[in-house]
Amino acid sequence: MKIWIYVDGRQEGPYELEQLLDKPVTPDTKVWYEGLPKWYPAGYLDELRPLFDGSLAEKMRGAQEQRAESQEAGNESEAVSSATTEETRISQTAEPVQSFEACQFTQHSPAPASEARAEVPECPPTYIGWAIFLTICCCSPLSVGALVASICVSTFYNSGKYDKACKASDWAVWLIMISFALGFLPGMVWQAFFM
């Protein structure tokens, strides 16, 4: 599975799941892979849970230990079969163990799935239907502004900027109310004075 990450305002990837152990991925890091409709926090996705619960790092450590043991066994058999001196045999068997101990595995603190899912807020209301209706019926600059603000709500939310999405939603609702009032005000004045 090829995974893209969103770090420091830029998209990086694609990476395999094992490669993410060496990247600055936290449960709040936005990720995307084929099949997802939008970017999600990494802790929200079940497929990435091994990255945070330590099972992936443990699996990688086990694979590294097996490779070190097989390499050590191979080195020992070579040392015995070639009848090298005791000092040479010790240096050959000690080398893989030292390189294995030098390896560092990055482990991230696990985040419970329930907390990770609770942290993802819902998208604020876009009011896109009202904005389209008022743009068609009233055709005022304020209704066009409401339409733009409504579109910005989804755009900001999908790019992970929840605060800006909330502000755009607030702007959209205010512009809709004002353009609604201004759109029907001339009709009400006309009826009050000329009918």
Side-chain angles (χ1 to χ4, degrees), residues 22-161:
D22 299 328
K23 301 295 176 192
V25 177
T26 66
D28 296 327
T29 302
K30 299 284 185 186
V31 297
W32 180 88
Y33 53 85
E34 191 170 333
L36 288 180
K38 61 182 181 178
W39 292 81
Y40 284 101
Y44 180 76
L45 302 167
D46 293 334
E47 291 83 358
L48 300 182
R49 186 167 294 136
L51 190 63
F52 304 111
D53 65 8
S55 62
L56 181 62
E58 189 65 33
K59 178 182 166 186
M60 295 294 291
R61 190 176 299 118
Q64 189 74 12
E65 286 174 357
Q66 285 180 347
R67 272 186 261 143
E69 288 173 3
S70 65
Q71 189 175 3
E72 183 178 320
N75 286 343
E76 284 179 8
S77 65
E78 284 178 18
V80 170
S81 66
S82 65
T84 58
T85 63
E86 186 67 22
E87 292 174 1
T88 308
R89 190 173 63 80
I90 290 172
S91 68
Q92 287 177 344
T93 58
E95 185 177 330
V97 175
Q98 289 173 354
S99 64
F100 173 70
E101 289 173 356
C103 291
Q104 296 290 327
F105 291 96
T106 306
Q107 276 191 325
H108 301 286
S109 59
S114 60
E115 288 181 18
R117 286 198 172 101
E119 292 176 10
V120 178
E122 289 188 22
C123 182
T126 60
Y127 306 105
I128 191 81
W130 282 105
I132 291 172
F133 171 76
L134 289 171
T135 302
I136 292 171
C137 293
C138 301
C139 201
S140 73
L142 291 176
S143 60
V144 173
L147 182 62
V148 170
S150 297
I151 293 169
C152 286
V153 172
S154 304
T155 306
F156 286 141
Y157 181 76
N158 289 336
S159 64
K161 300 173 183 171

